[in-house]
Amino acid sequence: ERVPRRPLAALALLLGATTHGLGANLNVDTTTDSPDAKPGDGQCVSKAGGCTLRAAIEEANATTLADTINVPPGTYALTVASTGGPDFAQSGVLFLNGEVQILGGDAASTVVDGGGKVRVFETEKDSTISLMGLTVQNGLADGANGAGILNRGHLKLADVVVKGGRAKGAPLNQTGGGAGIANEETGTATLLNVRVEGNTADGRGGGVSNTGEMQIMNSTISGNASLTDDGGGVVNEGVLSLLISEVTGNRARSGAGIDNIKGSVKLTDSTLAENAATSDGGALFNSGTVTVVNTTISGNTAGGAGGGIVNRAEGSVTLNNATVADNTARGEGGGIASA
């Protein structure tokens, strides 16, 4: 049984987010996408008039204080063409720096849409960013990772949906992964009551890619796909913890649920179900360290070995009060196999 959703105020406290910071409260009042007229002047006034989400972010980026951006219900489509790189959110991606908290109404009513043309959010190294009560959808990372959100700093998400992202690979480069969320080596990410669903990558990590540190709680990673690589739901090369969460219905070559590449994964009170690999490891493909506690792995399939789990020789999997049942594979080990 899933833990009930908590009000945003409670989520803010749980995440340690700033609810009464020393900075400004910036109130978005239009869904138009337009950059700030005079970035850094302390006034959220866009070139098109009104306080847009983009203009509010620019003003927040320009201060060293902890600013809060209040975003009312609506669909915020990103339409300002990219100039090719972070430019304090003047164009393309909504680039976040410093200490910024963005509060939407809720994930059902407050939507930030990349329109299939641009990454939605990108955070700078050493930044501290909180996103609450939003849907982040239809982002594009062309020859890059992280179509919905690319994180290099300290990111906290609560009551957020990340969906419909598309990460395309670049020839000869290991890119095009983490179509929903990409957490890079310098990044730390905490996800509470988050849904990552329906994202598609050419590379590793249809839903999530992690090379830093990530904690996922009371969340669902579902219906994501890696079209040509591994880790349909999640690819992990860092430190990953899933607590009271579900990884379901994802697709990939191997490790359709989770592909752990020499990283560390702990699964507690969670479910990996109905993930499908065309090759090995329907639920989990492991070459690192995995600890599974009070978790169910069931109904997963593999075209090769290990409908549930495939563990490579250099990897280790510890099962504590875990259920591995009703998984199927065309090769060896319907439940668990070694490679």
Side-chain angles (χ1 to χ4, degrees):
E1 184 176 353
R2 302 297 300 279
V3 172
R5 294 185 177 222
R6 299 174 174 87
L8 282 180
L11 292 173
L13 291 173
L14 282 169
L15 287 176
T18 303
T19 55
H20 298 286
L22 297 176
N25 276 288
L26 302 166
N27 299 312
V28 174
D29 58 20
T30 174
T31 59
T32 300
D33 186 23
S34 176
D36 197 72
K38 295 181 180 179
D41 69 352
Q43 303 296 316
C44 181
V45 180
S46 76
K47 293 178 180 179
C51 180
T52 65
L53 175 58
R54 188 178 296 276
I57 288 172
E58 288 183 86
E59 289 299 333
N61 287 345
T63 76
T64 58
L65 302 176
D67 294 316
T68 296
I69 299 172
N70 299 300
V71 187
T75 298
Y76 298 81
L78 305 187
T79 59
V80 178
S82 175
T83 57
D87 56 0
F88 298 96
Q90 279 278 309
S91 69
V93 61
L94 297 175
F95 181 76
L96 292 157
N97 193 17
E99 189 170 352
V100 184
Q101 179 175 253
I102 299 179
L103 300 179
D106 57 55
S109 66
T110 309
V111 178
V112 186
D113 193 325
K117 296 179 181 179
V118 66
R119 175 185 293 129
V120 182
F121 288 108
E122 180 174 342
T123 72
E124 180 60 289
K125 182 180 177 182
D126 297 325
S127 61
T128 300
I129 308 298
S130 298
L131 305 178
M132 300 184 189
L134 300 170
T135 287
V136 178
Q137 69 180 29
N138 299 333
L140 173 67
D142 196 352
N145 300 325
I149 302 171
L150 176 63
N151 178 52
R152 300 186 181 93
H154 306 289
L155 176 67
K156 300 175 182 180
L157 305 179
D159 192 20
V160 169
V161 175
V162 183
K163 67 179 184 179
R166 179 73 174 94
K168 295 183 178 180
L172 306 180
N173 291 321
Q174 287 188 332
T175 56
I181 302 169
N183 186 48
E184 295 199 341
E185 186 175 359
T186 58
T188 62
T190 300
L191 281 59
L192 175 61
N193 198 23
V194 171
R195 293 187 63 88
V196 181
E197 57 189 21
N199 301 282
T200 306
D202 288 340
R204 293 171 174 167
V208 175
S209 67
N210 176 52
T211 56
E213 296 185 17
M214 178 175 282
Q215 186 176 40
I216 301 174
M217 297 174 286
N218 194 35
S219 296
T220 300
I221 299 169
S222 179
N224 305 284
S226 171
L227 299 180
T228 63
D229 214 315
D230 303 337
V234 181
V235 63
N236 177 61
E237 297 181 71
V239 178
L240 174 67
S241 172
L242 283 89
L243 173 65
I244 320 175
S245 294
E246 299 176 358
V247 181
T248 61
N250 302 285
R251 297 179 292 112
R253 182 179 61 187
S254 292
I258 300 173
D259 180 28
N260 184 41
I261 306 173
K262 299 181 180 180
S264 173
V265 174
K266 184 173 183 180
L267 306 173
T268 306
D269 296 324
S270 294
T271 300
L272 276 64
E274 299 180 4
N275 302 287
T278 56
S279 185
D280 301 330
L284 173 66
F285 192 93
N286 176 54
S287 59
T289 302
V290 175
T291 302
V292 182
V293 180
N294 297 331
T295 291
T296 298
I297 300 173
S298 67
N300 304 282
T301 61
I309 300 171
V310 167
N311 185 54
R312 294 182 62 89
E314 65 270 29
S316 67
V317 176
T318 301
L319 303 177
N320 184 358
N321 195 30
T323 299
V324 182
D326 298 325
N327 303 285
T328 59
R330 291 187 178 181
E332 66 173 313
I336 302 174
S338 298

